[in-house]
Amino acid sequence: MLINIHSHQPPAHNQWLIQNLYRHFEQSAANGYYSIGLHPWYINETTLAQQMEELNNYCNNKNVLAIGECGLDKVCSTDFALQQNAFSQQIVMANAINKPLIIHCVKAFEEVQFLLQQQKVKVPVIFHGFNKSRQLALQLVDKGYYLSFGKALQLPAMQQVLASVPLQQFFLETDDAEMPIDNIYAVAAPALQIDINTLSLQLKKNAAAVFGNAVL
């Protein structure tokens, strides 16, 4: 069984997968596991209260394992103060319902860490699609956060970053890439100097530590 903690597609037969929804949260009532959250790309001031209400209506669904992806993005057109407001509210929500956060972060790692600290985050935090430096990776894992790697692992530099992260603090994902999770595992295993079976067992342990009994 391959663990894929962030995808926008339904699972294949050999995957344990968390499918992300940034709208139509009612779909989380279907079979499977989901993360639901307000992505910074898709929020605006006039509908934020309504979006938060909808998120609150579905966040306790037993199939919802995490809040997100949520976070901050300095490249998108959404007002940054509005992003910070929405992200802060979702940190509070995750704390209240004791579900992990899956973070989207673009050029705003300092601000994301500040808000996590300000809101006294108590739940596991996963930075998805991590493709930054070894220095930043170590800074984040030193704070107890998790990093999730995807298609960027095709780059040798990112394989070196992965190799520097504690085995207990990483995940793999496909996100919106066409690259199958099998291929990401096939790149990650030699980067970590372990075989696929050992990698699969480690990621199953990591997922169980964060997502609990949902991981079979």
Side-chain angles (χ1 to χ4, degrees):
M1 179 179 67
L2 302 182
I3 303 290
N4 182 352
I5 65 103
H6 186 74
S7 174
H8 296 281
Q9 303 296 327
H13 72 280
N14 66 332
Q15 291 185 50
W16 184 91
L17 176 145
I18 299 178
Q19 184 177 349
N20 176 249
L21 301 174
Y22 61 88
R23 60 183 178 181
H24 301 308
F25 299 144
E26 71 278 1
Q27 294 178 11
S28 63
N31 288 337
Y33 295 115
Y34 300 87
S35 64
I36 63 174
L38 304 187
H39 193 293
W41 293 359
Y42 305 116
I43 55 177
N44 64 73
E45 191 168 3
T46 57
T47 61
L48 178 59
Q50 179 183 345
Q51 289 175 299
M52 285 301 305
E53 181 178 1
E54 183 181 4
L55 181 60
N56 188 62
N57 288 340
Y58 291 97
C59 66
N60 282 302
N61 187 313
K62 62 181 177 62
N63 294 343
V64 173
L65 300 188
I67 300 301
E69 58 186 287
C70 58
L72 304 176
D73 189 325
K74 287 187 175 179
V75 175
C76 75
S77 60
T78 307
D79 178 77
F80 196 66
L82 182 64
Q83 293 185 46
Q84 291 173 303
N85 181 10
F87 182 40
S88 294
Q89 290 188 59
Q90 290 175 92
I91 298 171
V92 172
M93 176 182 289
N95 277 342
I97 64 175
N98 194 34
K99 291 188 178 183
L101 281 162
I102 296 179
I103 304 296
H104 170 99
C105 185
V106 177
K107 299 185 182 298
F109 283 92
E110 183 176 341
E111 292 87 347
V112 164
Q113 292 179 77
F114 173 79
L115 288 177
L116 289 170
Q117 182 178 8
Q118 183 184 62
Q119 300 299 336
K120 297 180 172 59
V121 68
K122 301 174 184 176
V123 297
V125 171
I126 303 167
F127 285 82
H128 103 85
F130 190 82
N131 60 0
K132 302 302 178 184
S133 68
R134 179 178 181 273
Q135 180 181 2
L136 179 57
L138 294 179
Q139 178 188 120
L140 294 172
V141 297
D142 282 349
K143 293 186 176 181
Y145 303 144
Y146 294 78
L147 306 180
S148 182
F149 297 83
K151 61 184 179 181
L153 283 178
Q154 297 174 95
L155 302 173
M158 288 312 303
Q159 295 171 24
Q160 294 176 14
V161 173
L162 172 63
S164 71
V165 173
L167 289 176
Q168 298 79 14
Q169 284 179 258
F170 83 97
F171 290 103
L172 299 177
E173 63 174 71
T174 54
D175 194 13
D176 59 357
E178 295 183 4
M179 185 177 184
I181 194 68
D182 313 60
N183 292 17
I184 295 173
Y185 268 66
V187 175
L192 294 167
Q193 299 184 359
I194 57 178
D195 59 49
I196 293 289
N197 288 337
T198 303
L199 175 60
S200 298
L201 179 60
Q202 183 64 57
L203 286 171
K204 185 175 180 180
K205 290 178 180 177
N206 294 355
V210 172
F211 302 108
N213 294 333
V215 185
L216 300 178

